[in-house]
Amino acid sequence: EGMALPQRIFPPEKISMDWQQSQRPGAGLFNLGNTCYINVILQCLTYTPPLANYLLSYKHSQSCQQQGFCMMCTMEAHVRKVLCSSASAVLPGAVLRDLKFIGEEFEYGRQENAYEFLRCTLNAMHRACLSCHLDVSSQETTIVHQIFGGFMKSRVTCLSCQAVVDSYKAFLDVSLDIRAASSLTTVLEDCVTPKQLDQKECFRCSKCKKKAAASKRVTVHRAPRVLTLCLERADQWTGTKISKFVEYPEYLDLRPYMSDTAGEPLLCSLYAIVVHSGDTCLEGHFLCYAKASNGLWYKMDDESVDNCDIHTVLGQQAYLLFYAR
């Protein structure tokens, strides 16, 4: 509705949301000094079932024509190395070696932000998928967008004549302001609540043909298969870390936050989280919790992989949340 249907690069019907096989968790990842932000994202992506299934199938590398660095080929080799290794820990050497190709701002040996590394990694994988496809209209149909991508709908309503203007925007993740919230559902409810536009935004109604007061409501128009949420831990005004606990559920129903709120529940299941420990956002340590293909949860802290329970997972000061449909 309201959006063109682009050509498909990867057919969505071939995406499997369930693990193809059940096994123990894979290896931990060595930290070579301030590389924990890399390790947590690599682990969360490794335990993303539809992505892991695709990477383990060799579908990309068998047809890849990319010259030099290819993030999809790098991830394919990494996931296989982690999940198939008999070692307790392995070195993500290829990722560390090609760090500059993933994001120009990353400097080896310097503490960086896990969320920024996630965004750059997904974009690098997306570019790798597009390397053989020059059709710009296909950019939302790579395996990356088929798994992580969704669409937001922004509806602006003229408060004078009630005329509406809809626009749509693709996303791979959603960043949330948690300063005034105690739970994830509270944050999401606030996001979809209509808000009056600031007078400075100068909305000109196409029906009234004049500047008028207007409200704006943002909803999820098409839900992704994997929803990635960032709970903003850095106060945008002071830069200090927000260390409050924000409650988040194991199962999240997206239906109340959709453009179409009617119909069956749209349930997502939590399968990974990233936690930042430390007093400030500029230093500290990243670790993660992920659910392996055997259905059990594990705490992954660099080279150590230890089993834990869901109550431990839900009691963390989460920074990143990964939910799968």
Side-chain angles (χ1 to χ4, degrees):
E1 179 193 347
M3 297 184 294
L5 293 175
Q7 168 194 337
R8 293 176 177 177
I9 291 178
F10 186 83
E13 61 270 13
K14 291 187 177 180
I15 295 174
S16 175
M17 295 300 291
D18 298 316
W19 286 101
Q20 298 300 292
Q21 59 185 34
S22 175
Q23 65 181 63
R24 62 173 179 79
L29 301 177
F30 287 115
N31 187 331
L32 293 190
N34 289 330
T35 58
C36 58
Y37 74 96
I38 296 173
N39 290 347
V40 291
I41 297 306
L42 292 179
Q43 292 289 42
C44 289
L45 293 178
T46 296
Y47 294 96
T48 299
L51 180 62
N53 289 334
Y54 175 77
L55 295 174
L56 291 171
S57 72
Y58 288 117
K59 282 191 176 77
H60 179 83
S61 60
Q62 286 173 351
S63 60
C64 182
Q65 300 175 26
Q66 183 90 336
Q67 298 296 315
F69 172 73
C70 171
M71 192 63 201
M72 286 300 289
C73 288
T74 298
M75 282 301 298
E76 190 177 281
H78 174 79
V79 168
R80 186 165 292 276
K81 182 179 180 181
V82 169
L83 295 181
C84 301
S85 175
S86 58
S88 61
V90 297
L91 181 68
V95 176
L96 295 173
R97 184 185 65 238
D98 293 320
L99 199 55
K100 286 291 184 182
F101 294 108
I102 300 172
E104 292 180 359
E105 66 270 33
F106 299 126
E107 187 174 313
Y108 180 72
R110 185 177 68 191
Q111 178 67 283
E112 306 280 4
N113 188 285
Y115 178 47
E116 292 305 317
F117 184 72
L118 169 66
R119 302 191 76 177
C120 288
T121 298
L122 292 180
N123 284 328
M125 291 166 64
H126 174 61
R127 289 195 303 271
C129 294
L130 283 175
S131 61
C132 301
H133 300 269
L134 302 179
D135 179 9
V136 177
S137 69
S138 300
Q139 64 179 345
E140 272 83 50
T141 63
T142 64
I143 183 66
V144 177
H145 273 272
Q146 290 289 353
I147 293 174
F148 297 94
F151 278 90
M152 289 293 188
K153 177 180 179 179
S154 176
R155 168 164 287 188
V156 177
T157 303
C158 175
L159 297 180
S160 176
C161 70
Q162 302 304 307
V164 298
V165 178
D166 292 337
S167 58
Y168 304 87
K169 184 178 181 181
F171 69 89
L172 289 176
D173 60 78
V174 180
S175 189
L176 300 170
D177 184 350
I178 61 171
R179 286 175 298 171
S182 59
S183 69
L184 177 60
T185 52
T186 303
V187 180
L188 294 175
E189 285 165 6
D190 180 66
C191 287
V192 299
T193 300
K195 296 175 179 62
Q196 187 160 341
L197 292 178
D198 191 294
Q199 289 182 340
K200 296 177 182 177
E201 296 186 62
C202 294
F203 171 73
R204 182 177 290 276
C205 180
S206 57
K207 187 176 180 181
C208 294
K209 304 297 183 184
K210 62 181 181 182
K211 291 181 181 178
S215 68
K216 180 178 180 180
R217 183 172 188 249
V218 178
T219 52
V220 179
H221 194 67
R222 193 184 77 191
R225 287 175 173 81
V226 170
L227 175 66
T228 306
L229 302 173
C230 174
L231 306 185
E232 296 176 356
R233 291 283 172 187
D235 189 297
Q236 57 183 304
W237 302 112
T238 65
T240 57
K241 182 182 175 182
I242 302 172
S243 298
K244 66 190 291 187
F245 173 73
V246 176
E247 184 182 1
Y248 48 95
E250 182 180 6
Y251 299 101
L252 176 68
D253 181 11
L254 284 181
R255 181 60 66 189
Y257 318 111
M258 300 290 292
S259 303
D260 180 7
T261 55
E264 297 292 319
L266 206 57
L267 285 179
C268 297
S269 175
L270 185 70
Y271 73 89
I273 71 169
V274 169
V275 177
H276 175 266
S277 63
D279 296 328
T280 75
C281 297
L282 300 176
E283 58 186 7
H285 180 64
F286 288 104
L287 61 129
C288 66
Y289 295 79
K291 185 191 285 188
S293 60
N294 60 8
L296 301 178
W297 281 94
Y298 295 86
K299 177 183 179 181
M300 300 181 180
D301 189 353
D302 290 330
E303 64 267 23
S304 68
V305 176
D306 302 304
N307 63 306
C308 65
D309 58 31
I310 184 62
H311 301 294
T312 300
V313 175
L314 296 178
Q316 302 300 313
Q317 280 185 23
Y319 177 43
L320 302 177
L321 299 169
F322 295 81
Y323 284 92
R325 290 263 291 275

